Amino acid sequence: QQQQQQQPQQQTPLCATCNQSTSGSATLYQNKGKVHHIHCLTCTKCNKSLGTELFLHDNQPICATCHGEQFFPRCAGCLELIMDDLYARAADKSWHLQHFCCSKCNVRLTKGYARVRDDVLCPSCYEQDIAPTCFVCHGRVLAGESAVRVEGQVCHGRPACFACVVCSVPLQDRDCTRAPDGQLYCWTHYTELCIPRCAECMQHIVGRFFQSEDFLYHPECFVCKECKIRFNGTIQPYTTCTGTYCHDHALTSSMIASMSISGAESTFDM
């Protein structure tokens, strides 16, 4: 009678964490030849127990909550993870659609919104309390309307407001500025009308200049009209109705100066 060869019984591996048998356990995790009960493991991100669910991130076990944080945004309203395909995104935050509400009056935002720093406002709250005033037409710049900021002030972006006060050309995509009188100018008319000219060379003055009575000069042009000697602080300028002279030429000028003044240095910024 042939003797049957007895097969060796396969030994059930022990959990590498609790050192207990894994027999009969359906929720196991195996890594690098070691077996673990899932409930014995902790999340490699938050160190909390994995419970009965295990997810892998960079081949490391993480819990369901940390897995969700990796792939799903968190609602700024209820602070829960957003599992829906459709959700709202504004001001670098995310919301469930039912929680996307005005930061002030809490009405649901279904017809547009305005962002004010980290808040979102309904059009009504924005227009009532926040909307800036256009410095051209003095009307409110409402939510959704185009607007531009010039020299720290806001105006409507529409051509009726954002245009040169002289030639009425729309200023979108054009060099422009707001002059000290508060008006908008295209660069051509601003240069022509608002930047002063040197009384000697008749070129526009940008930067340092000297003023003597009603005459303005570039520093290099601040010279006696006759002998061209430069007024450098030691030579006194004298102004007549025809220009600025040194003392000797002021006396021989056909229009004798009635007042002697020293030129005052200033700066004209573009």
Side-chain angles (χ1 to χ4, degrees):
Q1 185 177 0
Q2 187 178 4
Q3 188 177 4
Q4 291 183 350
Q5 187 175 359
Q6 191 173 11
Q7 297 290 334
Q9 187 175 4
Q10 188 174 5
Q11 189 175 7
T12 303
L14 299 180
C15 172
T17 303
C18 69
N19 208 31
Q20 299 296 314
S21 173
T22 59
S23 177
S25 178
T27 52
L28 300 175
Y29 170 67
Q30 185 171 352
N31 185 29
K32 297 181 180 180
K34 295 182 180 181
V35 179
H36 306 261
H37 296 113
I38 289 183
H39 64 264
C40 290
L41 294 175
T42 56
C43 174
T44 55
K45 287 189 174 292
C46 68
N47 209 34
K48 294 182 179 179
S49 173
L50 294 180
T52 59
E53 291 185 293
L54 177 147
F55 298 89
L56 292 179
H57 181 72
D58 293 334
N59 205 32
Q60 296 295 321
I62 61 175
C63 65
T65 301
C66 290
H67 172 73
E69 295 283 3
Q70 294 289 325
F71 299 101
F72 299 98
R74 188 172 291 277
C75 176
C78 69
L79 303 182
E80 297 295 330
L81 291 177
I82 302 173
M83 303 296 185
D84 304 328
D85 292 334
L86 295 178
Y87 61 93
R89 179 77 180 165
D92 300 323
K93 301 176 185 177
S94 301
W95 285 266
H96 291 107
L97 294 181
Q98 65 270 26
H99 297 151
F100 188 43
C101 301
C102 174
S103 300
K104 184 177 181 182
C105 69
N106 210 37
V107 67
R108 280 192 62 188
L109 299 175
T110 58
K111 297 181 179 179
Y113 69 92
R115 175 179 176 176
V116 181
R117 293 177 291 277
D118 292 332
D119 293 330
V120 287
L121 302 179
C122 65
S124 178
C125 287
Y126 175 79
E127 292 163 13
Q128 180 178 349
D129 301 323
I130 305 296
T133 300
C134 173
F135 68 79
V136 176
C137 71
H138 305 293
R140 290 275 194 172
V141 180
L142 305 181
E145 289 187 314
S146 65
V148 292
R149 187 176 293 274
V150 183
E151 303 291 334
Q153 299 296 318
V154 176
C155 78
H156 290 106
R158 57 185 180 232
C161 292
F162 191 43
C164 176
V165 69
V166 178
C167 62
S168 300
V169 64
L171 296 176
Q172 289 286 359
D173 302 321
R174 289 176 176 267
D175 291 332
C176 63
T177 191
R178 186 172 184 235
D181 62 3
Q183 301 290 346
L184 280 172
Y185 291 87
C186 66
W187 196 247
T188 299
H189 285 109
Y190 177 73
T191 302
E192 185 64 31
L193 300 177
C194 300
I195 300 180
R197 291 181 181 271
C198 173
E200 178 66 22
C201 69
M202 299 307 297
Q203 298 301 309
H204 291 293
I205 296 175
V206 178
R208 293 175 56 242
F209 68 91
F210 285 91
Q211 181 170 358
S212 182
E213 287 290 315
D214 295 331
F215 298 99
L216 304 181
Y217 300 89
H218 293 109
E220 64 273 17
C221 296
F222 192 39
V223 297
C224 173
K225 190 171 183 179
E226 284 292 332
C227 65
K228 306 303 181 186
I229 189 172
R230 189 166 181 175
F231 301 119
N232 57 11
T234 60
I235 300 176
Q236 184 81 5
Y238 291 80
T239 301
T240 73
C241 61
T242 59
T244 302
Y245 300 86
C246 65
H247 179 267
D248 291 343
H249 287 103
L251 293 177
T252 59
S253 172
S254 58
M255 299 293 291
I256 303 299
S258 60
M259 182 182 296
S260 169
I261 58 171
S262 59
E265 182 179 1
S266 302
T267 302
F268 185 85
D269 297 321
M270 297 286 278

